[in-house]
Amino acid sequence: MPTLTDSKTLSHLKQLEAESIYIIREVAAEFKNPVMLYSVGKDSSCMVRLAQKAFHPGKIPFPLMHVDTGYKFPEMYEFRDKFVQEIGAKLIVERNEEAIAAGSSPFKYGVQKCCGLLKTQGLLDGLNKHGFDAAFGGARREEEKSRAKERVYSFRDSFGQWDPKNQRPELWDLYNSKINEGESIRVFPLSNWTELDIWLYIEMEKIPVVPIYFTHTRKIIKRKELLIPWVSHIPILPGDEVKDMRVRFRSLGCMSCTGAIQSNPEVHDLRGIIEDLISTRKSERENRIIDHGSDSSMEQKKKEGYF
Amino acid sequence: MTLDAKTLLNYEKMDLLRLTTAGSVDDGKSTLIGRLLYDSKGVFEDQLEAIRKTTQKKGGDDIDFALITDGLAAEREQGITIDVAYRYFTTAKRKFIIADTPGHEQYTRNMVTGASTADLAIILIDARNGVMVQSKRHGYIAKLLGIPHIVVAINKMDLVDFKQDVFEKIKSDYEAFFKELSGEHPGRSSVQDLVFIPISALKGDNVTVKSAATPWYSGKALLDHLETVEIARDRNLDDFRFPVQLVLRPNPDYRGFAGKIASGIARKGQKIISLPSGVTSTIKAIDTFEGEVDEAVPPMSVTLRLSNEIDISRGDMLIYPGNESRCQNRFEAYLCWMVKEPLMLKDKYLLKLATAEVKAMVLRIRWVRDMKTLDKMSTQALTLNDIALVEFQTLKPICFDPYARNRATGSFILMDELNNNTVAAGMIVE
């Protein structure tokens, strides 16, 4: 009879890892045409590593899809292409070319509409174009209050919309993959991870991340409390201050809508990020301009089809 | 103990506790969770600032902790919570996942959901009210779902002047009620400890630190208990069960069976039987991304290679000889019905148990619980939030263990074949 020892208890990170791998394998087994949404950030990096683990020694059996807006950081594009090539994954890049050609930007249309066109519509068009029936996303429940109520398997109707009042019950680790033609499931294998778990795992697994999570010098537009990374298409307003600063980013998105944080103390390694995370008391989405629309802007976006 | 950079050096040894909370809004459940998150730094400054503003708008002066767990716009409009929310916090000892279940409508469905993955349940009782029917209902569901550890947090002790006799009366009433329940689900997953803690979620007494107001209470503060309660022994390490998720064939020389170890310990060199076919083989290797390992424990996700080519596919279950699951097409199960459309006898549903799926129907409803009185009643149909003991028939035999012996291989969901919804959760008796 086996005896119980401490070595037979998995650490919280190993338990989270095991759960995520299980979810990723369930999807591969039960759906015809899954895709993994890849947004180049830290959560995506983790999710892709978990997918590699799930199918080892084989390759990831589904493509990664980056819904691009054209407004991401140059460092992100560079990292994306190198990372995907290194792990031998198949990458699909989808853009809402029509909206991009029409000059969509947060300055022309406002943040909400720009996001709706470039991100949500770009995503829905991409999913439709390839006929994906399941799409993995790296969202975590801890991130935002509407995400706290999200399922691991999030059912979406044929318009990709989320109905928070009418979600399928989800019990144990028994996920319901049943859908009719045209409907789809968004799958969140990192549901139970926190930002701290992500960084600890990246450190433990030595997972590469975009270097601008670390302190670097960058031209910044200082607008009241916000530090907006300078790029030529962002209009300078009266009162703005443009200067080189030592900054880093806590989460990554479009340049025009992602605030930097002043990096003091300087952070040059993962341990530094982790220590800073424990001592800072601000949520990671605070510098995401995108969430500031209204008290429930994320909930609204999700209802419209955002992941 | 709050987390800092020094204590974090330990993170490789930190484990994970999943808990669920039961209680209505009036019992102070949101306040308790808000305080746990706040005191363990699970709430950020910018979120807190927003909460402060809202509290002031509503005419309060300090922080309304209940607002920390505030939910969807649809809920704020109606002033109620409609769904399970998951919350996270970490201390120097453990990571915690809270399944926060609302206290009002659809209570049973939501609590069953939250309880299904929980190691521990906190049941809140308002010290002024004593043991009400809903506290019994919470205890009943916690026990039915096989939650091994239960904490009864007797809240609002400040409103009864922290009187010991109030606490003792509730404690003995609840213990007596729990004894009556002992008939359901005896076995491994029955409640292992029932702990009572006098608290004031609002004032913080005995939540994260022990209170000077209860010198007569010799137990731990709630957070201390959550950090130290022994959960490693809850896992079933005796009965090896490996539901096959998918077959990995990256090249002609490699054939591996991917899955999560549901229970027991996988060991290299062990003889196995594949159910339901009954064919036998031996574990040749246990593969992980990091390389081969000699043994693997639950809940690890691994890939097993076997010594000979046998026909195994998703839905099959690997077990060890001499310790077998049952494979039957008739069994009895507790069923929690989760949708408005009623269960009708002999309607066909799709049943998912571990990785297996089979068509199933209910032949007979033995009884249904009246959730107000907890009495057993007879009925011909089940409706939303009903909990019943029913007799199942499946189209093909399905392999399982009694839920009391094995939560992972004794639980199932039912799905509607037409609208695809998840309509019920089940726990097999035998």
Side-chain angles (χ1 to χ4, degrees):
Chain A
M1 193 54 67
T3 49
L4 263 146
T5 63
D6 268 349
S7 66
K8 290 200 168 45
T9 301
L10 297 188
S11 72
H12 81 288
L13 283 180
K14 287 306 237 182
Q15 287 191 50
L16 292 173
E17 176 191 73
E19 176 181 86
S20 301
I21 293 175
Y22 170 80
I23 293 164
I24 293 168
R25 285 171 166 176
E26 277 298 280
V27 171
E30 292 205 305
F31 289 88
K32 288 189 207 110
N33 192 16
V35 66
M36 183 166 274
L37 301 175
Y38 175 67
S39 68
V40 203
K42 60 186 191 301
D43 303 308
S44 281
S45 282
C46 269
M47 184 165 65
V48 170
R49 170 60 58 90
L50 291 161
Q52 286 180 280
K53 291 197 174 198
F55 306 105
H56 176 81
K59 291 237 160 101
I60 300 173
F62 39 74
L64 310 182
M65 183 164 85
H66 182 212
V67 179
D68 185 23
T69 60
Y71 289 129
K72 305 293 176 186
F73 291 81
E75 292 93 336
M76 290 171 74
Y77 294 112
E78 195 186 319
F79 177 89
R80 177 192 75 189
D81 295 339
K82 195 167 152 244
F83 179 73
V84 169
Q85 198 189 3
E86 270 171 16
I87 64 166
K90 186 186 171 207
L91 177 73
I92 299 170
V93 177
E94 287 297 342
R95 294 154 50 108
N96 184 348
E97 295 294 357
E98 204 179 315
I100 291 172
S104 299
S105 83
F107 316 107
K108 186 170 173 186
Y109 291 136
V111 174
Q112 293 251 7
K113 190 168 175 190
C114 182
C115 264
L117 285 166
L118 297 187
K119 291 169 83 174
T120 307
Q121 197 55 46
L123 169 64
L124 294 174
D125 290 348
L127 295 174
N128 270 338
K129 178 176 157 189
H130 300 278
F132 293 125
D133 53 358
F136 292 100
R140 292 175 281 107
R141 285 170 175 155
E142 175 217 37
E143 275 180 273
E144 206 274 340
K145 60 190 167 198
S146 64
R147 291 202 158 141
K149 305 215 163 181
E150 182 62 280
R151 300 292 189 259
V152 172
Y153 272 39
S154 177
F155 174 80
R156 303 302 172 103
D157 64 16
S158 53
F159 299 100
Q161 300 178 107
W162 182 58
D163 181 0
K165 281 196 254 186
N166 198 17
Q167 298 195 77
R168 291 176 177 177
E170 196 165 77
L171 300 102
W172 297 288
D173 54 6
L174 298 171
Y175 303 112
N176 178 346
S177 63
K178 304 297 171 214
I179 50 172
N180 290 329
E181 191 67 32
E183 297 167 344
S184 65
I185 303 277
R186 303 283 169 86
V187 182
F188 301 108
L190 304 178
S191 286
N192 287 325
W193 296 58
T194 61
E195 187 185 12
L196 180 60
D197 297 328
I198 293 287
W199 284 115
L200 289 172
Y201 192 71
I202 286 171
E203 186 191 42
M204 185 170 93
E205 294 284 319
K206 303 186 175 60
I207 298 170
V209 290
V210 187
I212 57 177
Y213 284 115
F214 303 107
T215 308
H216 58 288
T217 301
R218 181 168 222 111
K219 202 170 178 185
I220 292 290
I221 306 165
K222 202 162 179 280
R223 182 173 294 167
K224 290 180 193 159
E225 302 279 282
L226 288 171
L227 304 180
I228 304 163
W230 181 89
V231 65
S232 60
H233 67 257
I234 300 182
I236 309 292
L237 305 181
D240 282 359
E241 204 184 327
V242 182
K243 58 176 181 180
D244 278 348
M245 291 179 74
R246 296 290 283 167
V247 295
R248 60 189 191 88
F249 295 90
R250 201 166 153 193
S251 64
L252 298 179
C254 293
M255 287 187 81
S256 37
C257 293
T258 304
I261 48 178
Q262 197 155 9
S263 197
N264 185 26
E266 302 232 326
V267 170
H268 295 289
D269 55 16
L270 293 168
R271 203 23 47 170
I273 289 180
I274 290 163
E275 285 177 6
D276 189 59
L277 185 57
I278 295 169
S279 56
T280 51
R281 304 300 319 277
K282 294 196 189 278
S283 74
E284 66 188 298
R285 301 200 77 85
E286 192 215 26
N287 290 70
R288 284 288 195 95
I289 299 163
I290 173 175
D291 288 349
H292 290 197
S294 75
D295 206 21
S296 40
S297 66
M298 175 64 82
E299 183 180 344
Q300 191 54 38
K301 276 154 56 84
K302 282 170 69 66
K303 281 185 191 166
E304 288 161 7
Y306 189 60
F307 92 96
Chain B
M1 211 167 140
T2 51
L3 192 64
D4 57 36
K6 216 175 14 175
T7 49
L8 194 67
L9 293 173
N10 237 354
Y11 74 85
E12 278 149 343
K13 292 192 190 116
M14 274 168 50
D15 67 355
L16 177 62
L17 182 94
R18 294 176 200 250
L19 64 136
T20 186
T21 50
S24 76
V25 177
D26 302 335
D27 291 333
K29 183 172 64 72
S30 299
T31 308
L32 176 66
I33 294 174
R35 182 169 280 282
L36 278 172
L37 295 180
Y38 176 74
D39 285 355
S40 61
K41 296 194 180 183
V43 190
F44 296 112
E45 266 171 26
D46 48 311
Q47 294 169 335
L48 215 52
E49 197 42 49
I51 291 161
R52 249 186 222 117
K53 276 185 199 150
T54 313
T55 310
Q56 282 163 5
K57 229 188 279 173
K58 287 184 176 172
D61 44 7
D62 203 3
I63 294 170
D64 183 351
F65 285 113
L67 293 174
I68 291 173
T69 58
D70 195 15
L72 303 166
E75 297 174 327
R76 285 195 297 279
E77 284 154 17
Q78 298 172 47
I80 55 154
T81 42
I82 49 179
D83 212 330
V84 184
Y86 294 86
R87 324 252 174 227
Y88 304 84
F89 70 99
T90 304
T91 68
K93 292 189 180 139
R94 263 183 182 153
K95 173 188 165 108
F96 297 91
I97 301 177
I98 306 177
D100 178 11
T101 59
H104 292 298
E105 228 178 309
Q106 305 205 339
Y107 190 81
T108 303
R109 160 182 151 150
N110 284 315
M111 188 177 166
V112 168
T113 301
S116 71
T117 51
D119 304 304
L120 181 145
I122 299 175
I123 296 171
L124 274 127
I125 294 181
D126 186 328
R128 295 170 304 176
N129 300 336
V131 178
M132 312 267 284
V133 65
Q134 68 165 0
S135 318
K136 293 185 177 177
R137 198 184 310 153
H138 300 156
Y140 171 73
I141 293 172
K143 196 158 189 340
L144 184 74
L145 271 287
I147 301 179
H149 309 276
I150 294 182
V151 175
V152 180
I154 301 175
N155 191 25
K156 306 196 182 181
M157 286 299 293
D158 53 317
L159 299 182
V160 296
D161 301 323
F162 294 100
K163 279 188 194 133
Q164 183 178 5
D165 58 337
V166 174
F167 174 79
E168 296 294 347
K169 170 81 168 65
I170 293 174
K171 181 170 183 256
S172 65
D173 286 354
Y174 208 71
E175 279 172 338
F177 157 72
F178 239 77
K179 268 202 195 110
E180 286 170 37
L181 274 183
S182 60
E184 238 136 297
H185 275 315
R188 171 183 287 277
S189 54
S190 64
V191 177
Q192 289 167 7
D193 51 62
L194 179 63
V195 169
F196 295 82
I197 304 179
I199 66 164
S200 165
L202 192 66
K203 311 277 183 202
D205 297 86
N206 292 327
V207 178
T208 51
V209 286
K210 282 204 67 177
S211 169
T214 53
W216 43 265
Y217 170 67
S218 59
K220 291 175 175 171
L222 176 62
L223 184 62
D224 189 12
H225 179 69
L226 298 180
E227 284 184 314
T228 53
V229 63
E230 162 90 45
I231 50 170
R233 280 166 195 286
D234 301 343
R235 293 175 308 158
N236 176 342
L237 293 182
D238 300 330
D239 310 322
F240 176 69
R241 299 288 183 264
F242 187 78
V244 174
Q245 274 189 288
L246 75 165
V247 184
L248 297 183
R249 302 215 66 170
N251 61 62
D253 302 326
Y254 189 96
R255 187 159 181 261
F257 301 100
K260 180 167 82 173
I261 299 178
S263 60
I265 301 175
R267 287 203 177 81
K268 193 176 165 174
Q270 266 279 357
K271 278 206 164 55
I272 57 102
I273 301 176
S274 174
L275 296 178
S277 72
V279 293
T280 60
S281 188
T282 302
I283 299 178
K284 187 167 83 179
I286 305 169
D287 289 334
T288 72
F289 184 76
E290 290 75 22
E292 274 190 42
V293 293
D294 288 336
E295 60 175 39
V297 297
M300 280 171 75
S301 286
V302 296
T303 303
L304 303 184
R305 273 182 290 144
L306 302 178
S307 58
N308 55 331
E309 289 248 333
I310 56 174
D311 182 19
I312 295 174
S313 53
R314 176 177 168 84
D316 293 346
M317 184 146 70
L318 308 187
I319 53 106
Y320 291 160
N323 181 344
E324 298 179 20
S325 299
R326 298 170 204 193
C327 297
Q328 297 169 199
N329 62 0
R330 281 219 185 184
F331 53 84
E332 269 190 8
Y334 296 106
L335 202 63
C336 175
W337 197 253
M338 302 191 136
V339 292
K340 286 197 191 89
E341 303 77 38
L343 163 95
M344 306 301 287
L345 292 180
K346 305 206 172 149
D347 274 3
K348 284 198 191 66
Y349 296 93
L350 207 51
L351 183 153
K352 184 176 185 185
L353 185 153
T355 57
E357 262 181 30
V358 64
K359 283 190 182 175
M361 63 177 161
V362 173
L363 293 178
R364 204 147 72 89
I365 301 169
R366 292 195 178 276
W367 49 253
V368 59
R369 285 269 176 201
D370 180 326
M371 291 308 282
K372 288 200 178 70
T373 60
L374 294 181
D375 289 338
K376 293 174 185 173
M377 329 264 284
S378 63
T379 183
Q380 291 303 306
L382 298 181
T383 57
L384 178 64
N385 291 322
D386 275 347
I387 291 179
L389 180 65
V390 304
E391 199 180 308
F392 264 98
Q393 172 148 21
T394 55
L395 203 65
K396 289 185 302 185
I398 188 157
C399 303
F400 62 84
D401 296 288
Y403 186 79
R405 176 90 191 164
N406 203 321
R407 276 173 100 175
T409 53
S411 53
F412 63 86
I413 55 170
L414 288 188
M415 296 170 287
D416 185 298
E417 283 198 288
L418 281 178
N419 67 22
N420 297 321
N421 201 2
T422 305
V423 295
M427 291 146 283
I428 297 180
V429 182
E430 54 195 326

